[in-house]
Amino acid sequence: MKALTWHGKRDVRVDTVPDPTITDPTDIIVRITSTGICGSDLHLYEVLGPYLDPGDILGHEPMGIVEEIGPEVTAVSVGDRVVVPFNVSCGTCWMCGQGLHSQCETTQVKDRGMGASLFGFSKLYGQVPGGQAEFLRVPFSNTLPVKVPHGPPDQRFVYLSDVLPTAWQSVTYADIPPGGSVTVLGLGPIGDMAARIALHQGASKVIGVDLVPERLARARGRGVHTIDLKEHGKDVGEEIRHLTDGRGSDAVVEAVGMEAHGASLAKAAQQFAGLLPDALGEKVMGRAGVDSMAAFNTAVDAVRRGGTISLIGVYGGAVDPVPMLTLFDKQIQLRMGQANVKRWVDDILPLLDDEDVLGVDGFATHTLPLEEGPQAYKTFQAKQDGMIKTVLTP
């Protein structure tokens, strides 16, 4: 089959690789019809090389048609249309029972002290082959895949793999009071969708912060009050207080993470670790990794006293400096973590009808064949061509 594979920093290729096969009785093989490129894929493309091997298959936002089933699969049949959540979760362990599918005890990467395995990520998360490919082996298929109806276009449902539940969790964790305000830092796919969900759920004011003109314009078109980081710079917090009776917003969704703009020192440290041999690079990142804290510090500044920060942007640093004095003094509540996809699916599915209240049908800015994946990674990383969300079609 054809698959997008990692070969080094900023080096993603379309390779011919062996087809996946059923290895456990509850496995299925899915023929992928649509698969997204995620902002966290750029962490693999740019930063996390020490945790990858050449030939690793990328991607964790797939959907498609069931082509083959294992002998103990009862929940889906050949020909069914399914979305594959990015958490590789069993659905039956204690953690999954608590709705913490990203902490699945069956697939935790215990030798690295990490949570549940993820499709198409890295050694940190199990090195499971991903879904930017023509076919995908999916385990735990009586509990993991999300069965969706035939008929509507793929883009009605493909975001159930990641974007929708991740954004939904970020808003839920933000705990916006009824009729309250929320600031969304970063209007990439997750931040954009989080803003839409917050508005749908009744937030009185949703403020979006970014520096990419296309992202700002897109959010404004959905009713978000936007702030251009290029215009306001370090005064973003002051502008947010001006819009919220001088207090700051009730909640902040931090959807930037370690890709924060202007992180020259942190970027240099990450690049240095990436140049080291893999074993040494892993040790440096795992014990002395530093992220830019620009977005997080902006969140701390922008949230009102007694408010909540929901941190959904990915961080990878082991020794990040956190402003504990300010967090304590402002009595800020902080929630974070990898999205628990299956926990939120039942809440989201009813919204994916012809009314399309969240605008999923037109959410992708680019739909491209799998063969154009390497160029899509370059364009997305450079924030060019108005690319905000790309869906590949194998």
Side-chain angles (χ1 to χ4, degrees), residues 19 25 33 43 58 69 113 131 133 176 281 297 304 334 343:
D19 291 346
T33 55
H43 302 149
L58 304 175
I69 63 173
I176 307 163
N297 290 333
R304 68 162 168 81
L334 179 61
R343 178 174 181 173

Side-chain angles (χ1 to χ4, degrees), residues 151-313:
D154 274 10
Q155 291 187 37
R156 181 75 57 87
F157 302 114
V158 68
Y159 306 116
L160 282 169
S161 59
D162 182 353
V163 174
L164 282 164
T166 299
W168 192 277
Q169 177 171 302
S170 76
V171 174
T172 302
Y173 280 13
D175 196 24
I176 307 163
S181 61
V182 60
T183 295
V184 179
L185 300 179
L187 294 171
I190 302 301
D192 184 338
M193 186 56 72
R196 298 181 188 202
I197 291 167
L199 285 167
H200 172 72
Q201 293 184 354
S204 63
K205 185 182 290 293
V206 178
I207 302 165
V209 181
D210 207 293
L211 46 73
V212 180
E214 293 87 352
R215 292 180 176 185
L216 292 164
R218 178 162 140 134
R220 275 197 303 273
R222 303 285 306 190
V224 176
H225 183 104
T226 59
I227 295 176
D228 189 339
L229 186 61
K230 289 181 180 177
E231 178 182 347
H232 292 277
K234 294 181 180 179
D235 296 326
V236 166
E238 200 58 46
E239 179 64 14
I240 292 168
R241 282 186 286 278
H242 172 72
L243 296 169
T244 53
D245 300 320
R247 297 188 186 94
S249 57
D250 296 310
V252 173
V253 172
E254 203 275 69
V256 179
M258 64 174 158
E259 291 291 322
H261 177 68
S264 55
L265 182 60
K267 184 175 181 180
Q270 291 166 348
Q271 289 177 338
F272 170 72
L275 292 172
L276 297 171
D278 283 357
L280 185 55
E282 281 188 36
K283 290 181 179 179
V284 170
M285 282 190 165
R287 298 178 185 175
V290 179
D291 298 312
S292 164
M293 300 301 289
F296 180 78
N297 290 333
T298 298
V300 173
D301 183 32
V303 72
R304 68 162 168 81
R305 291 179 178 274
T308 302
I309 295 173
S310 173
L311 197 160
I312 204 69

Side-chain angles (χ1 to χ4, degrees), residues 58-230:
L58 304 175
H60 59 269
E61 297 186 352
M63 70 172 291
I65 305 298
V66 178
E67 290 283 303
E68 186 180 352
I69 63 173
E72 295 181 13
V73 174
T74 58
V76 297
S77 303
V78 171
D80 283 347
R81 191 184 194 195
V82 296
V83 178
V84 183
F86 76 88
N87 313 123
V88 184
S89 57
C90 72
T92 56
C93 70
W94 188 88
M95 284 290 182
C96 287
Q98 307 306 304
L100 294 169
H101 299 84
S102 67
Q103 310 302 325
C104 173
E105 291 175 319
T106 305
T107 72
Q108 282 176 16
V109 187
K110 295 187 171 86
D111 61 335
R112 293 179 178 272
M114 303 297 286
S117 297
L118 308 177
F119 285 104
F121 215 70
S122 69
K123 295 173 187 175
L124 286 174
Y125 289 103
Q127 210 168 19
V128 181
Q132 289 171 2
E134 292 180 312
F135 295 93
L136 177 68
R137 182 183 75 91
V138 180
F140 310 113
S141 289
N142 289 323
T143 52
L144 180 57
V146 179
K147 191 174 172 179
V148 296
H150 290 277
D154 274 10
Q155 291 187 37
R156 181 75 57 87
F157 302 114
V158 68
Y159 306 116
L160 282 169
S161 59
D162 182 353
V163 174
L164 282 164
T166 299
W168 192 277
Q169 177 171 302
S170 76
V171 174
T172 302
Y173 280 13
D175 196 24
I176 307 163
S181 61
V182 60
T183 295
V184 179
L185 300 179
L187 294 171
I190 302 301
D192 184 338
M193 186 56 72
R196 298 181 188 202
I197 291 167
L199 285 167
H200 172 72
Q201 293 184 354
S204 63
K205 185 182 290 293
V206 178
I207 302 165
V209 181
D210 207 293
L211 46 73
V212 180
E214 293 87 352
R215 292 180 176 185
L216 292 164
R218 178 162 140 134
R220 275 197 303 273
R222 303 285 306 190
V224 176
H225 183 104
T226 59
I227 295 176
D228 189 339
L229 186 61
K230 289 181 180 177

Side-chain angles (χ1 to χ4, degrees), residues 10-33:
R10 300 188 188 179
D11 184 1
V12 170
R13 305 176 192 174
V14 179
D15 284 341
T16 300
V17 302
D19 291 346
T21 58
I22 287 175
T23 58
D24 291 310
T26 58
D27 287 350
I28 61 174
I29 304 298
V30 176
R31 174 174 56 84
I32 303 302
T33 55

